[in-house]
Amino acid sequence: MRRAISESVSLAVIASALLALVVSIRPGDRDLALDLYVLVVGALAMLAVARVARVARESQTGRSRFDEALAAEPTAPERPPDLVRLEREVALSVARAFDLHFRLRPALREIAVHRLLARRGIDLHERPEAARAALGEPAWELLREDRPAPEDRMGPGLPLDELRRVVDTLERV
């Protein structure tokens, strides 16, 4: 801190010497020289205050904000909201037939529509028999458009191993 102050004082002394030199060489420009001198000394004073504040702050924490930012622990990445929602729908779909039919099934059907069209050129809506052949019976039974809603909405959903087979089928399409 003392070093910052002594450097600023040294520069102010040099500025004062330059002012005296300019005033002695060009006495007619004394007002302009004084204006410039005041600006230079003011800037030096602001610089000294900033340096003293920085030194005082670093002495309190031991590190600069830059060093603290570098040393900060990276935060764990947040899970995408869509993934969290889909995981919740899977859990609910295993438990209840309602959630399977009205929550998870539309998402799986959308995946099937996209994959069949992109990878096999099969439009699920226009060529349901070709889609049935590509998906196989277990997946088709779950994803067909005319699948009736469950009579017992609170009944059990699809067992997890069967759901896993359907998802594996969709991945292979």
Side-chain angles (χ1 to χ4, degrees):
M1 193 164 15
R2 287 184 177 151
R3 180 177 172 211
I5 293 173
S6 66
E7 286 178 0
S8 295
V9 169
S10 299
L11 289 173
V13 168
I14 292 171
S16 299
L18 286 174
L19 172 67
L21 181 67
V22 168
V23 169
S24 66
I25 294 175
R26 301 208 40 157
D29 292 333
R30 185 184 68 182
D31 291 338
L32 178 61
L34 281 173
D35 289 342
L36 287 174
Y37 175 75
V38 168
L39 282 174
V40 169
V41 170
L44 290 173
M46 289 180 66
L47 182 63
V49 168
R51 289 177 73 188
V52 166
R54 187 187 74 208
V55 168
R57 184 165 216 268
E58 286 178 1
S59 68
Q60 288 176 354
T61 63
R63 300 187 308 191
S64 69
R65 288 183 71 188
F66 181 75
D67 291 335
E68 289 174 8
L70 284 178
E73 291 292 323
T75 57
E78 289 186 26
R79 297 178 55 144
D82 288 339
L83 176 62
V84 172
R85 179 186 50 80
L86 191 58
E87 286 175 345
R88 186 175 52 249
E89 288 174 1
V90 166
L92 292 171
S93 296
V94 170
R96 292 194 316 223
F98 173 85
D99 292 302
L100 173 66
H101 188 78
F102 292 104
R103 294 181 192 266
L104 185 61
R105 185 177 155 273
L108 292 175
R109 188 167 165 76
E110 183 180 327
I111 293 168
V113 166
H114 173 74
R115 285 186 168 249
L116 284 169
L117 190 60
R119 295 183 175 181
R120 304 249 176 121
I122 299 172
D123 188 326
L124 183 67
H125 303 290
E126 292 178 12
R127 299 177 46 208
E129 288 306 316
R132 181 180 197 163
L135 291 172
E137 281 306 312
W140 175 255
E141 188 56 37
L142 177 63
L143 301 174
R144 66 187 171 102
E145 191 168 6
D146 61 345
R147 182 175 198 258
E151 290 180 20
D152 181 10
R153 292 179 170 215
M154 298 306 275
L158 193 63
L160 191 56
D161 59 330
E162 290 181 35
L163 182 58
R164 188 172 286 126
R165 281 190 286 254
V166 171
V167 171
D168 289 342
T169 299
L170 290 175
E171 287 179 351
R172 285 191 302 268
V173 168

